[in-house]
Amino acid sequence: MDKGLHFTICVVTTVLLLRESSQAGEENDPEALAAPKSDSRGAAEGLPTLTVTTILEDPYVMVRGAELEGYCMDLLGALAGMLRFQYRVKVVGDGQYGAVAAGGNWTGMIGEILTREADIAVAPLTVTSAREEVVSFTTPFLQTGIGILLRKDTTSQDMSFFHFLSPFSKETWTALLFAYLLTCFCLFLVARLSPCEWNEPKNEENHFTFLNSLWFGAGALALQGATPRPQALSVRVIAVVWWLFTLALLAAYIANFTALLSSGSEQLPIQTFEDLVKQRNLEFGTLEGSSTFYYFKNSKNPIHQMIYEYMEKRREHVLVKTYQEAVQRVMDSNYAFIGESISQDLAAARHCNLIRAPEVIGARGFGIATTQASPWTKPLSIAVLKLRESGDLDYLRNKWWESSCLRQSRDRWGPLEPPALGGLFLTLGIGLALGVLAALAELSSSSRRAAAHAKKSCCSVFTEEICTRLRIKGTARQSQEPAGKANA
């Protein structure tokens, strides 16, 4: 009995040792790393497990406690739910995206895919022709380009002599001048037509001359009372509408002008890459070994060639290792960072003293990298398209690019265009039309009473009144000549 028990224990021990040896061999086998693995839940459900390589970059992949989170992690979760696979995420060992090293081997995430250390790469990995030759990419999940990240105080200019005109655009100032002249003319016209503004049109001079109307309109623009005082209802309608118009206009001007002064974000002297090359105050560079660096290296554009030559000659001083280092250097020194525009937008949203120059070149996209013979490439591309069509990619973009500071940049507080004040100008136009109609109604009523008293035609009396009030002497003389002959 003791010998049988001893024999059973030896057999069980031998089987356990052989099983551990087999598992250790699988872990050390490079080909086994490329094969799909599964945990207990994956084995129960029969779902494959993919090894995913990525890189730490805010907001794509970030460490929060013991877990990873960010845009790419949310995207990966959505793809796993659609295609029914499990995944194991590992951060790239050398911290690189992927470039050809001196020996011809690839570094970064591209290198890990080629060496079968990972099945796919989900990261802000730019799709380039060189990378496409060795790996496969899915449909881009984010569109971007190459931009210039600057610090606001290194790019600000002195205020122009006519900076007080900045709150409104040229078109708005032109529309305001036209509205002012039109309103003053309507005041002048309505005051002459309305019987309430004078008692004896033939012998009395109307107070609302054209010059007085201009003075009245200018006084309202300055929020100051100005004579003459309107008496007729029609004139008062126009005056009230003009006062409301000027009140809203001045409020918009003061608010926009205050924002421009507090933001300190005057028009950037560096608008384009050509402006960056011509200036001498800022150093500029990009990520070492990035697709942006090789874009300028391979470009035939003379400006781009000058940028590449500058970075190549001073690569020890201007090329940075990581994106975080680039942002920090822009904030701390006179340095301009050339990189992905979408990442620069995030930096400008997170750091209120940073801004991206308007020009963006080299439209490109971020894609998911797989091995060239991978069966996951097409399903992942279709899944990305479905997420785009459903609006999920836009949701993730807004979620992770949300600004954490109040940006009072010129993009937000720029000069007000006429469409922004369209309702205000429309209200003024309606008020002017109502004032003119009211004046004609007042004159028509007065003409009917005068025609009934003099037993004349209402139309003839109305015409005489208009000619008298508008000082149309020729017409008035023609109407008075028959009356003089009849008296003779």
Side-chain angles (χ1 to χ4, degrees), residues 272-486:
T272 64
F273 285 88
E274 184 176 0
D275 297 334
L276 184 64
V277 172
K278 290 181 179 179
Q279 59 82 38
R280 293 293 180 267
N281 297 326
L282 298 177
E283 293 183 320
F284 53 88
T286 187
L287 290 174
E288 184 177 4
S290 64
S291 60
T292 301
F293 180 81
Y294 289 102
Y295 173 85
F296 288 99
K297 179 180 179 180
N298 299 325
S299 176
K300 303 301 181 182
N301 188 304
I303 300 298
H304 299 169
Q305 280 296 308
M306 294 174 64
I307 293 176
Y308 167 72
E309 292 173 2
Y310 173 87
M311 293 190 297
E312 180 64 26
K313 290 179 180 178
R314 308 191 60 187
R315 59 182 307 136
E316 299 296 330
H317 301 283
V318 299
L319 297 184
V320 293
K321 302 294 184 182
T322 63
Y323 175 77
Q324 290 76 12
E325 178 187 351
V327 173
Q328 193 63 40
R329 185 168 178 180
V330 173
M331 297 176 62
D332 297 339
S333 62
N334 292 336
Y335 180 78
F337 173 60
I338 302 175
E340 302 291 349
S341 60
I342 193 169
S343 300
Q344 294 175 349
D345 290 338
L346 175 70
R350 299 287 176 84
H351 306 281
C352 302
N353 62 332
L354 300 182
I355 190 172
R356 179 176 62 81
E359 185 181 33
V360 176
I361 62 174
R364 53 184 63 190
F366 293 154
I368 300 174
T370 66
T371 57
Q372 288 187 331
S374 174
W376 292 98
T377 306
K378 187 173 181 179
L380 286 171
S381 294
I382 296 175
V384 169
L385 289 175
K386 289 182 178 179
L387 290 175
R388 179 180 300 168
E389 293 169 356
S390 63
D392 291 340
L393 293 184
D394 293 333
Y395 168 76
L396 293 180
R397 172 73 163 78
N398 296 331
K399 173 185 176 181
W400 291 104
W401 268 258
E402 182 180 2
S403 176
S404 61
C405 64
L406 178 61
R407 298 182 61 191
Q408 294 181 339
S409 64
R410 195 174 183 87
D411 295 336
R412 180 175 178 178
W413 300 105
L416 290 180
E417 300 290 341
L421 303 174
L424 195 59
F425 282 96
L426 179 61
T427 302
L428 177 63
I430 294 174
L432 296 181
L434 290 177
V436 173
L437 292 177
L440 292 176
E442 292 173 351
L443 183 59
S444 177
S445 177
S446 175
S447 299
R448 283 197 299 269
R449 290 194 299 269
H453 184 268
K455 297 181 180 180
K456 293 183 178 181
S457 171
C458 182
C459 293
S460 62
V461 174
F462 183 77
T463 304
E464 290 177 5
E465 289 288 339
I466 290 180
C467 294
T468 302
R469 296 172 191 279
L470 298 182
R471 295 293 192 268
I472 306 177
K473 296 181 180 181
T475 307
R477 189 181 302 115
Q478 291 176 4
S479 63
Q480 292 174 1
E481 284 179 358
K485 293 180 179 179

Side-chain angles (χ1 to χ4, degrees), residues 194-206 231 465 469:
S194 176
C196 300
E197 286 297 332
W198 46 12
N199 296 323
E200 294 293 336
K202 296 180 180 180
N203 303 323
E204 183 184 2
E205 182 66 27
N206 191 286
Q231 299 178 3
E465 289 288 339
R469 296 172 191 279

